[in-house]
């Protein structure tokens, strides 16, 4: 142990005045509510984002379950024998009289029952299906995945990991939370007044011609526009924070990889979101004034909308995944007590992904663009796979010969590696022109992006939540039940979505409420998988509630991390640190550093090479 | 963000102390020095300006594609615009950009009166821009109502068919209706795609006008703080500085819009 740098542990232990935790209530109930509603503390704002995002995740999840349930029993028109008033078959000229009935409209019937009406046509019922999946997509993309890791975990941990007291612009930070809530309210209102059936991409001409939903589309699109502002402001805040608020001694290459990932993410948010901003604004004008930019009948070009949309939305898939990469880059070294393999490669891969992401939007439009363009975009698309693969190999190399602790965060990180690899690899046949023309707009695409977005981002969000939960709330949770939840989620996820690769390659188109019998079995399996997923998340919810109510008090550094947030108390004090931290070791120098607040009771120090010399 | 995060000094007892606001300024608790805070605000503001540029870039991109698809409609539509109004507005904005820069300089040198005066002039220029835009350009094109002093009126003397507000406004038959999209009702257009041109025209200039209004609000706020407690001085002028940056951007965008909209042949 002699070679280990133990000095920090002494330096930090004990002395110095201690402020109360940031969670300590300020006065009575209403005073506390007011304190939270007007807080500029990045930790409270992070927690508020967490609550808002989890609530939207629940809403979006309910819509998903509705979609899957509808698909248990597809919409059909059937010829049945008509019955007379006496309950007997009606006959005419010796033959039974036939009538057409629509079956399988579970969702439509539910909606009609709710509104106290009867379904009068097959379209009406199908519209409810369209609304449910639009609701699901729009909520999950704009209100859950995009803000999930950055706005909640990022807000909480960027300043802590940098050794700062707050983000660069605390008031702006609060403002962006309110903007987020406002945007979400717009979206939810559009649902309450009947919903939108355009799909989350709001493609023209669907979004400019579905006349029944006039105000709803405008509301929903405005909601997305407003959410964009929130995203820009958060990104801008983080970029400046990383530039200007690093603790003394922390150079760019001493930053934790989570910070690198968040930095790259923020740059994309700042540079891509304005383009969707103007696009959505034009779309609103299009609806209100029929200005015609996207409408061929008025001289416009609907494909222009697709270009604008994907110029933003492809980079945005990296806004979704890069923070996840960052979280994984923290969890893997901490829970295997080993220095990350290839720090610089991982850091630069984040920037590389950010850069390339601006050049590949056309791969969502192979079917609607010319041959030359499609070929160029296809070639560029494959470039994205390179930095991504670099990261995956680095993580695996980090695990190699590490002392892996199968904690819940680590379990999830391993699941991420598995799921994300499937997601990434299935991107390749989609990026290749010949195969994509077959797979485009099929369930294969649905499966692909759920493997990357849910298997990648959401799984990692949950992993990060388990990793930092003790720090955020000062309570441990029951690892056994958390692991059980993780396994249920993992199995449920694969049952739901792996089947969809088969459905897609066999030709099942996406966004249809009905299908031929051949697909029935796979759809049923997929739906049961989604119920399993729901159960898994409920287990996590209970574990978290139990932790808050009855959890054991968390130590300051339960897993033995070396980044600065583990030097703060659990939960951190109002101003994060008692003294401004000074960085004396790298974020992953496990060979040479004893983790701050190390306590043999929490975890043993691994047998490091340094210990043997 | 400057306005949001550079803490506003409370106007209260210590104003009577006579100490100017910029000397009393203390940076936010999470900054080590006021300089670091200033640097951060400036960096943040430049990033914000980048987002504004990108927002307009989308608009310019739409413009380019539509013009490429319908060149005649654009030439035709543009011919209804009078380049002299556009040029006058360009000059107005250029002057205001100069006075804005001079205002910042004045505050940096603690010349409070000059600073305030220059801010006021900048604000008035902004107002002038809007007045020209709305009374001489938007209103006649949309409705056919001209303000009586509009020099363009004498071309249409024979077509005047109505007056309002005691002759302050005159209506020219058949002139109005150059509105965007579905509201387009101008009877004499010679290209079927002209509504599209007007849509782009109003989107671009309307969003720009909104930025002018936001810029003027910021200037007014700076002015108020300068008058109430000398908020800006040699060691603290973050907010005027960034307001200035914003105002220059507004100017710059107009400098692009002017030739693209007014000078098409
Ligand atoms: C390994 C790199 C990846 C490649 C090569 C790739 C390729 C593609 C391609 C070509 C498509 C279009 C398929 C079609 O519509 O026919 C697509 C769709 C999609 N991808 Fe990926 N992808 C990759 C990673 C990701 C990641 C990391 C995410 C998000 C976290 C993502 C999210 C999506 C989404 C949301 C769609 C569907 C959009 C829609 O039409 O609704 N992809 N991907
Ligand atoms: Cu893409």
């Amino acid at each position: 142990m002699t070679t280990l740098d133990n000095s920090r542990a002494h330096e930090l232990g004990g002395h110095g005045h201690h402020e109360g935790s940031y969670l300590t209530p300020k006065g009575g109930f209403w005073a506390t509510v007011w304190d939270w509603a007007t807080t500029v503390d990045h930790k409270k704002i992070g927690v508020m984002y967490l609550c808002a995002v989890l609530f939207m995740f629940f809403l979006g999840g309910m819509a998903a379950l509705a979609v899957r349930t509808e698909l248990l029993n597809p919409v059909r028109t059937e010829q049945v024998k008509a019955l007379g008033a006496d309950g007997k078959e009606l006959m005419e000229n010796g033959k039974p009289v036939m009538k057409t009935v629509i079956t399988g409209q579970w969702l439509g019937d539910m909606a009609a029952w709710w509104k106290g009406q009867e379904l009068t046509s097959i379209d009406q019922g199908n519209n409810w299906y369209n609304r449910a999946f639009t609701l699901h997509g729009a909520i999950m993309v704009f209100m859950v995945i995009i803000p999930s890791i950055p706005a909640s975990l990022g807000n909480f941990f960027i300043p802590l990991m940098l050794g700062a007291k707050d983000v660069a612009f605390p008031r702006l930070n609060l403002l962006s939370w309110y903007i987020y809530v406002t945007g979400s309210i717009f979206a939810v209102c559009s649902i309450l007044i009947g919903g939108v059936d355009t799909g989350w991409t709001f493609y023209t001409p669907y979004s400019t011609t579905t006349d029944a939903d006039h105000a709803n589309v405008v509301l929903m699109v405005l909601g997305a526009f407003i959410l964009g502002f929130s995203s820009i402001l958060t990104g801008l805040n983080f970029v400046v924070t990383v530039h200007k608020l690093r603790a003394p001694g922390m150079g760019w290459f001493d930053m934790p990889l989570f910070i690198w990932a968040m930095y790259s993410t923020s740059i994309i948010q700042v540079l891509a979101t304005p383009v969707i901003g103007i696009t959505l604004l034009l779309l609103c004008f299009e609806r209100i004034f029929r200005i015609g930019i996207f409408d061929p009948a008025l001289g416009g070009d609907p494909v222009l909308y697709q270009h604008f949309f994907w110029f933003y939305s492809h980079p945005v898939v990296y806004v979704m995944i890069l923070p996840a990469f960052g979280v994984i880059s923290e969890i893997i070294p901490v829970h295997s007590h080993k220095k990350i393999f290839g720090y610089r490669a991982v850091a630069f891969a984040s920037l590389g992904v950010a850069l390339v992401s601006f050049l590949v939007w056309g791969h969502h439009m192979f079917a609607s663009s010319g041959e030359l363009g499609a070929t160029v975009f296809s070639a560029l698309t494959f470039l994205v796979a390179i930095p991504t693969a670099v990261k995956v190999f680095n993580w695996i190399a980090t695990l190699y010969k590490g002392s892996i602790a199968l904690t819940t965060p680590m379990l999830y990180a391993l699941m991420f590696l598995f799921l994300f690899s499937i997601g990434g690899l299935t991107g390749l046949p989609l990026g290749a022109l010949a195969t994509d023309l077959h797979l485009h707009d099929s369930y294969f695409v649905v499966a692909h992006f759920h493997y990357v977005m849910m298997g990648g981002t959401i799984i990692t969000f949950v992993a990060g939540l388990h990793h930092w939960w003790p720090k955020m709330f000062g309570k441990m949770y029951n690892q056994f039940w958390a692991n059980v939840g993780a396994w249920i989620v993992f199995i449920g996820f694969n049952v739901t979505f792996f089947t969809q690769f088969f459905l897609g390659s066999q030709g099942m188109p996406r966004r249809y409420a009905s299908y031929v019998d051949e697909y029935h079995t796979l759809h049923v399996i997929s739906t049961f998988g989604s119920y399993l997923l729901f159960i898994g998340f409920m287990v996590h919810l209970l574990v978290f509630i139990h932790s808050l109510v009855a959890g054991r008090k968390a130590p300051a550094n339960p897993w033995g991390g070396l980044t600065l947030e583990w030097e703060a108390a659990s939960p951190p004090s109002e101003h994060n640190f008692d003294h401004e931290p000074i960085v004396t070791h790298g974020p992953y120098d496990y060979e040479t550093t004893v983790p701050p607040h190390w306590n043999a009771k929490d975890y043993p120090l691994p047998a490091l090479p340094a210990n043997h010399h | 963000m400057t306005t949001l995060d550079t803490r506003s000094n409370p106007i209260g007892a210590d104003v009577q102390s006579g100490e100017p606001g910029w000397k009393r300024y203390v940076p936010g608790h999470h900054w080590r020095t006021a300089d670091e805070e200033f640097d951060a605000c400036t960096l943040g503001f430049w990033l914000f300006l980048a987002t504004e540029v990108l927002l307009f870039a989308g608009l310019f991109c739409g413009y380019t594609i539509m013009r490429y698809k319908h060149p005649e409609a654009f030439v035709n539509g543009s011919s209804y615009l009078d380049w002299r109004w556009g040029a006058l507005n360009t000059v107005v904005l250029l002057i205001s950009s100069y006075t804005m820069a001079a205002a910042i300089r004045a505050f940096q040198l603690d010349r409070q009166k000059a600073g305030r005066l220059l801010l006021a002039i900048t604000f008035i220029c902004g107002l002038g821009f809007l007045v020209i835009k709305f009374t001489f350009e938007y209103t006649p094109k949309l409705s056919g109502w001209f303000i009586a002093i509009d020099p363009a009126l004498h071309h249409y003397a024979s077509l005047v068919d109505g007056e309002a507000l005691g002759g302050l406004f005159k209506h020219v038959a058949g002139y109005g209706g150059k509105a965007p999209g579905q509201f387009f009702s101008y009877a004499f257009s010679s290209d079927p795609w002209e509504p599209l041109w007007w849509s782009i025209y109003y989107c671009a200039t309307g969003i720009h006008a909104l930025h002018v209004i936001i810029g003027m609000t910021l200037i007014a706020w700076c002015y108020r703080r300068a008058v109430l407690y000398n908020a800006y001085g040699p060691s603290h002028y973050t907010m005027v500085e960034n307001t200035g940056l914003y105002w220059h951007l507004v100017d710059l965008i107009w400098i692009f819009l002017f030739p693209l909209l007014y000078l098409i042949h």
Side-chain angles (χ1 to χ4, degrees):
Chain A
M1 293 288 275
T2 43
T3 49
L4 296 181
D5 162 22
N6 244 329
S7 58
R8 296 200 55 72
H10 296 296
E11 184 190 306
L12 287 154
H15 59 261
H17 78 288
H18 286 275
E19 303 168 61
S21 124
Y22 79 101
L23 288 171
T24 315
K26 299 265 173 344
F29 178 74
W30 289 112
T32 308
V33 170
W34 179 248
D35 175 52
W36 278 76
T38 57
T39 184
V40 290
D41 180 348
H42 68 101
K43 298 182 287 301
K44 288 184 182 164
I45 296 174
V47 171
M48 280 161 31
Y49 259 117
L50 183 65
C51 296
V53 165
L54 289 180
F55 177 73
M56 295 317 281
F57 185 53
F58 180 77
L59 274 190
M62 285 296 138
L65 289 180
V67 167
R68 285 303 336 161
T69 304
E70 169 65 58
L71 290 173
L72 270 182
N73 189 6
V75 177
R76 292 286 159 77
T77 47
E78 276 171 32
Q79 297 286 313
V80 294
K81 291 174 182 157
L83 299 182
D86 54 357
K88 286 204 189 121
E89 285 174 15
L90 286 180
M91 301 295 272
E92 205 177 87
N93 305 335
K95 282 188 198 154
V97 180
M98 302 301 280
K99 72 170 189 181
T100 311
V101 292
I102 303 165
T103 59
Q105 290 203 314
W106 173 79
L107 198 57
D109 288 334
M110 286 276 286
W113 170 79
W114 178 254
K115 292 197 148 188
Q117 298 158 351
E118 288 248 347
L119 285 186
T120 50
S121 75
I122 192 163
D123 285 350
Q124 240 184 8
N126 288 349
N127 272 339
W128 282 104
Y129 176 81
N130 294 350
R131 286 177 188 155
F133 77 65
T134 302
L135 176 66
H136 165 68
I139 287 193
M140 287 302 193
V141 171
F142 296 111
M143 283 155 255
V144 178
I145 293 197
I146 293 177
S148 62
I149 297 177
S152 62
L153 298 177
N155 243 320
F156 203 102
F157 287 103
I158 288 177
L160 278 165
M161 287 180 145
L162 292 174
K165 286 186 188 147
D166 210 319
V167 291
F169 309 118
R171 287 204 252 171
L172 192 66
N173 201 12
L174 180 64
L175 180 69
S176 58
W177 186 78
Y178 277 105
I179 295 178
Y180 169 82
V181 172
T182 312
S184 304
I185 290 176
F186 266 72
V188 171
C189 281
S190 92
I191 295 157
L192 290 183
I193 61 175
V196 175
D197 63 358
T198 59
W200 74 277
T201 48
F202 309 127
Y203 265 20
T204 53
Y206 308 129
S207 52
T208 49
T209 49
T210 48
D211 274 324
D213 295 338
H214 202 98
N216 310 11
V217 175
V218 173
L219 266 181
M220 183 61 117
V221 170
L222 267 183
F225 175 72
I226 295 170
L227 288 164
F229 269 102
S230 155
S231 174
I232 290 179
L233 295 182
T234 305
L236 189 153
N237 216 336
F238 289 172
V239 171
V240 179
T241 307
V242 172
H243 270 273
K244 300 288 177 189
L245 281 170
R246 299 195 304 277
M250 186 186 281
W252 282 88
F253 292 105
D254 303 320
M255 296 193 314
L257 287 165
F258 180 65
I259 303 284
W260 271 105
M262 287 306 311
Y263 181 72
S264 313
T265 308
S266 304
I267 288 183
I268 305 180
Q269 277 180 312
V270 170
L271 296 184
T273 318
V275 178
I276 194 76
I278 188 73
T279 310
L280 294 179
L281 205 58
L282 288 177
L283 191 60
C284 286
F285 292 159
E286 185 91 31
R287 283 235 58 141
I288 300 168
F289 301 113
R290 305 212 74 75
I291 61 176
I293 296 183
F294 305 127
D295 184 350
L298 303 173
D301 182 356
V303 178
L304 180 63
Y305 177 84
Q306 299 185 15
H307 278 290
F308 275 161
F309 185 85
W310 290 113
F311 180 79
Y312 161 78
S313 291
H314 184 80
V316 149
V317 308
Y318 294 98
V319 167
M320 305 174 198
I321 200 70
L322 278 174
F325 291 171
V327 172
I328 294 297
S329 305
E330 293 306 317
I331 292 179
I332 287 188
V334 171
H335 295 262
S336 52
H337 298 96
K338 187 151 167 285
K339 192 183 181 100
I340 186 103
F341 183 86
Y343 173 93
R344 287 195 185 217
V346 178
F348 282 123
S350 286
L351 285 180
V353 165
L355 217 78
V356 182
S357 72
F358 280 99
L359 307 174
V360 300
W361 77 89
H363 67 211
H364 295 272
M365 305 164 56
F366 287 155
S368 56
S369 57
E371 259 176 42
L372 177 66
T375 313
V376 172
F377 277 123
S378 170
L380 286 169
T381 296
F382 290 125
L383 281 185
V384 182
I386 298 171
T388 318
V390 165
K391 291 195 171 220
V392 172
F393 288 127
N394 278 313
W395 292 320
I396 294 175
T398 307
L399 288 170
Y400 179 66
K401 288 196 171 168
S403 17
I404 297 173
L406 267 187
T407 53
T408 313
M410 187 55 155
L411 186 60
Y412 261 122
L414 297 176
M415 290 172 179
F416 162 87
L417 285 179
F418 181 80
L419 300 176
F420 183 74
S421 300
I422 296 181
L425 290 174
T426 52
L428 299 178
L430 295 177
L433 293 180
T435 35
D436 183 61
L437 287 185
H438 174 63
L439 298 172
H440 178 63
D441 261 344
S442 76
Y443 261 67
F444 194 91
V445 174
V446 177
H448 156 69
F449 67 71
H450 280 91
Y451 265 85
V452 276
M453 302 215 293
M454 173 134 192
T457 311
I458 296 291
I459 290 290
T460 315
F461 178 46
V462 182
L465 206 54
H466 282 92
H467 180 59
W468 281 306
W469 180 269
K471 177 62 57 189
M472 294 175 88
F473 299 105
K475 293 283 178 70
M476 297 306 282
Y477 49 85
N478 184 320
Q479 290 234 17
F480 173 77
W481 282 105
N483 284 356
V484 169
W487 279 110
I488 300 178
V489 167
F490 180 76
I491 295 168
F493 177 83
N494 282 300
V495 172
T496 312
F497 293 108
F498 207 80
T499 40
Q500 298 187 358
F501 283 123
F502 298 120
L503 279 170
S505 51
Q506 289 169 12
M508 170 76 207
R510 67 194 275 203
R511 297 180 173 175
Y512 276 39
S514 180
Y515 50 79
V516 293
D517 284 336
E518 281 76 0
Y519 299 129
H520 190 69
T521 318
L522 285 171
H523 269 300
V524 171
I525 296 174
S526 181
T527 300
F528 280 106
S530 69
Y531 296 158
L532 213 54
L533 257 177
F534 177 75
I535 295 172
F537 281 118
M538 284 300 124
V539 171
H540 282 313
L541 185 67
L542 292 178
V543 168
F544 280 146
I545 292 175
H546 175 261
S547 156
L548 286 180
V549 177
R552 163 169 79 82
K553 188 176 171 359
N557 192 357
W559 325 115
L562 295 184
T563 39
L564 291 178
E565 80 270 29
W566 304 111
E567 297 196 357
S570 292
S573 66
E574 194 104 327
H575 294 299
N576 296 351
F577 301 97
D578 294 336
H579 306 285
E580 183 171 55
I582 296 170
V583 179
T584 53
H585 56 78
Y588 310 108
D589 287 345
Y590 287 94
E591 290 92 339
T592 51
T593 321
V594 171
H597 303 295
W598 177 66
N599 184 340
K601 278 206 316 276
D602 300 329
Y603 49 88
L605 276 187
L608 296 166
N611 297 4
H612 300 305
H613 294 301
Chain B
M1 61 251 36
T2 48
T3 51
L4 285 162
D5 284 292
T6 308
R7 265 189 288 140
S8 44
N9 286 308
I11 312 160
D14 49 348
V15 171
Q16 274 108 45
S17 75
E19 187 90 342
W22 59 271
K23 281 194 183 160
R24 278 185 285 123
Y25 180 77
V26 272
H29 80 285
H30 56 303
W31 294 104
R32 281 176 220 106
T33 63
D35 276 355
E36 279 183 21
E37 185 183 51
F38 175 78
D39 286 350
C41 287
T42 313
L43 175 63
F45 211 81
W46 275 102
L47 278 174
F48 171 67
L49 293 186
T51 68
E52 290 278 15
V53 168
L54 282 160
L55 188 118
F56 278 96
L59 209 55
F60 284 128
C61 184
Y63 168 94
T64 312
I65 288 164
M66 292 306 132
R67 180 167 165 189
Y68 175 76
K69 286 184 76 156
H70 310 294
E72 291 82 16
F74 273 56
V75 172
N76 235 315
S78 170
S79 70
Y80 298 112
L81 301 180
D82 190 337
W83 68 270
R84 284 165 297 191
W85 287 127
L88 181 63
N89 259 345
T90 312
V91 173
V92 169
L93 280 190
L94 281 174
I95 293 174
S96 75
S97 253
Y98 171 75
T99 55
M100 186 71 224
I104 297 168
R105 191 78 202 122
F107 285 118
Q108 286 170 343
L109 299 174
D110 199 17
R111 286 166 38 202
Q112 298 289 341
K113 263 197 194 143
R116 275 178 243 155
L117 182 69
L118 286 161
L119 276 186
I121 297 176
T122 314
F123 183 89
I124 291 169
C125 285
L127 199 63
F129 176 93
L130 291 179
V131 168
I132 292 173
K133 193 95 215 129
F134 281 90
T135 46
F136 296 108
E137 300 209 80
Y138 283 172
T139 315
K141 294 206 170 58
L142 288 171
S143 65
W145 284 98
F146 283 75
I147 192 160
I149 54 167
D150 192 330
L153 256 183
H154 72 257
H155 291 301
Y156 308 108
S158 57
L159 292 171
V160 171
D161 63 350
E163 281 189 358
L165 295 180
L168 186 60
F169 287 95
K170 292 197 159 62
H171 189 261
V172 173
Y175 189 85
K178 298 182 192 99
Q182 65 177 342
F183 301 105
F184 183 82
S185 60
Y186 182 59
F188 309 103
S189 70
S190 45
D191 191 287
W193 307 121
E194 245 171 58
L196 187 59
W197 148 264
W198 289 109
S199 303
I200 302 245
Y201 170 77
Y202 286 106
C203 283
T205 54
I207 294 175
H208 176 262
L210 182 69
H211 281 74
V212 173
I213 293 171
I214 295 171
M216 287 167 62
T217 316
L218 289 176
I219 292 170
W221 194 358
C222 286
Y223 180 83
R224 175 173 173 275
R225 292 181 46 171
V227 168
L228 285 179
Y229 49 94
N230 292 331
Y232 313 109
S235 64
H236 176 68
Y237 50 86
T238 317
M239 187 177 157
V240 253
E241 162 103 357
N242 287 337
T243 304
L245 285 177
Y246 189 82
W247 194 251
H248 296 322
L249 177 86
V250 169
D251 188 12
L252 188 75
I253 289 169
W254 178 255
I255 287 174
F256 278 95
L257 284 178
F258 170 55
L260 287 178
L261 296 174
Y262 288 77
L263 308 178
I264 308 179
H265 295 294

